[in-house]
Amino acid sequence: MNTEATFPSLSQAETRVLVMQSKLHRWAVADPGRRFDDMFNLVYDPAFLLVAWDRVRWNRGARTAGVDGVSPRMVPPDQVYELLDRIRVRLKSGELAPLPVRAVQIPKANGKLRRLGIPGLVDRIVQASLKLVLEPIFEADFDQSSYGFRPGRNAHDAVAEIRQLSGNAGYQWVFEADIKACFDSIDHEFLMAQVRRRVKDKRVCALVRCFLKAGVLTENKTLQPSYTGTPQGGILSPLLANIALTHLDRYFRHLWEQCGNTGSQRMRYRAQGYPTIRLIRYADDFVVMVHGTRADAESLFQVTSQVLSPIGLALSEEKTRVVHIDEGLDFLGWRIQRRTKEGTQKKYVYTYPSKKAVQAITDKIRQLTLHNHFDSLTSLLNRLNPVLKGWCNYYRHGSSSRALAYVNNFTFWRVLGWIFARHPKTGKRALVRRYAPAWHIQENGTALFRPTKVHTNHYRYRGSHIPNPWLPATTV
C-alpha cells in the first residue's frame, strides 16, 4: 500500500483498509505459524488513519477528553486532515510517545467502583489504527466459543450457545466463573509474548508496549506507573485482553477436541466415565458447561486457576460457583434457567432479563424522571425513549414479555407522576386529558415509547456459521 499518498476520501479509505485486512486475515488463516513483518507502515498509512479517526469520532466516548483536554468532538472538520498528517509524521519518525490515560471511577452493578482509563485524542487514533492492523491477524487464532468484542459476534450468540447446550445437548452443570480485576491484572510480559507469536515487526511490538506502559493519571492528579493490565476504556484494550485470554480458550478447546469431533464420539467418551465440557466466553466473563457430574464441574476451579496463573489472573472465590441449570445463572444481563412450561410436564431453558438488569433500567428511569431534570415533557421523552429502546432491543431476544410489561408500567406511572409534580396547581384529570389522552403520554408529536409494543423472539443459535467480515460467505 502506498504510504506516501495523500489522504483519500472516507469511502475510498474504507475500501482500501478492508482489502488489506482481508489479505492479512487470509494469510493468517492459511499459515497458523506465520509471523507478520513490515506492518508498521500500515499503522501510519493515510487510509488506516482516516478510518481510525472516523471510528474514534463516532465512538460513544467521543465527548470525553483524556489528559490532553481534547475530545474528538472538539476537532473542527476542516482540521482533521492536518491532525492526521501530524500523527502520521510523528509515527513515521518514531517521535510519538503515548500519554498517560486519565482515570475515572464508574459505578458497577454491585455498588462498587470500576476504574476506566481515557486515552488522549492522538493515542485513541493510533490505537484504533493499530487495531485495524492487528485484529484481522489475531481473529484467525481466536476460538469459536469467544464472543466478546469481536466483529460480527455479540452477547446474544454467547447466551444462545448456553441455551443450546443446556437444552438440547444435556450440559446441565455450569461452572460460573469470575476473574478478579481482569483488565487491570494481565501480565505484560505474557501478553507481549502472545503478540510476538504473530507479529515480527519490532516497531509494532514496541508501540503496543508503549501503550501498556503509558501509566495512569488518577483523579487526584497522581501519575501511577502501569506494571500490569490493559486500562479498560482504551480502544485497543479489548483486543489485547482477547489475545491474552486466548490461552484459556486454547486449553478448553484442547479438552473439547479430546472428546471427539462428532456427537457420537463424545457420547462414547462420556460412556467411559469422562465428562465433556465447553467454554463460552465473552471478554472476561465466561462459563464452562459440563456434561457430567457436579464433582466434574467443581474440579474446574483448580484447573482454571492454574490456566489463568501465567496470564497474571485469578478467580474470585466468592463469585465463582457451580450451579445446575435448573437453579439458573445470570450471564451478560440474562437469567438462564430450565423450568417446566406452564400447563405441561416438559422442561425448557428460558432466557429473560435478570433481576439486576430490571433493577438497573428502573433506577435509570427513576433518575431521569426526577421532577427538576427537564423543563418540558418533550425534553424528558427525547432523553427517556432512547434508553428504553436500547434496553428493549437487547432483551427482546428471549422470554421477556413479563419484564417488558413491568418496565412499561413502571415507566408510564413515573412519567405521569413527573407530569403531576411539574403542574401542582392543575387538576390531575385535566393533566391526563392534556398529556395522556387515551392513556398514551405525548407532547408536540413526541410519544412515550412503550416496551409492550416490542415483539419478542428467541435469538437463533448460529454456531460456526457466524459471518466473517474478511472472508467470502461461502468460506465461513
Side-chain angles (χ1 to χ4, degrees), residues 43-57:
V43 179
Y44 62 77
D45 179 85
F48 277 78
L49 286 176
L50 185 57
V51 174
W53 159 255
D54 184 67
R55 297 193 177 182
V56 169
R57 172 64 178 80

Side-chain angles (χ1 to χ4, degrees), residues 156-157 160 397 457-463 465:
H156 294 110
D157 288 312
H397 294 298
N457 61 355
H458 281 294
Y459 188 83
R460 182 174 61 87
Y461 173 58
R462 297 190 290 173
H465 301 290

Side-chain angles (χ1 to χ4, degrees), residues 66-120:
V67 296
D68 55 358
V70 182
S71 68
R73 297 287 173 89
M74 294 170 59
V75 180
D78 59 347
Q79 296 182 16
V80 169
Y81 288 118
E82 181 182 350
L83 169 66
L84 297 181
D85 192 54
R86 289 200 304 266
I87 295 174
R88 181 173 175 271
V89 171
R90 292 175 61 193
L91 275 171
K92 193 174 181 179
S93 63
E95 297 175 358
L96 191 143
L99 296 173
V101 298
R102 181 170 72 91
V104 296
Q105 301 289 335
I106 61 174
K108 297 175 63 174
N110 58 9
K112 296 182 180 180
L113 295 176
R114 178 181 65 189
R115 190 175 70 177
L116 192 68
I118 305 173

Side-chain angles (χ1 to χ4, degrees), residues 29 33 38 51 65 72 99 102 129 140 156-157 193 216 234 249 265 276 285 287 307 319 326 364 401 466:
V29 171
D38 195 24
V51 174
L99 296 173
R102 181 170 72 91
S129 185
H156 294 110
D157 288 312
V216 177
D249 299 342
Q265 290 175 341
T276 54
D285 295 320
V287 298
V307 176
K319 294 182 180 180
D326 288 348
K364 181 69 173 179
S401 298
I466 299 176

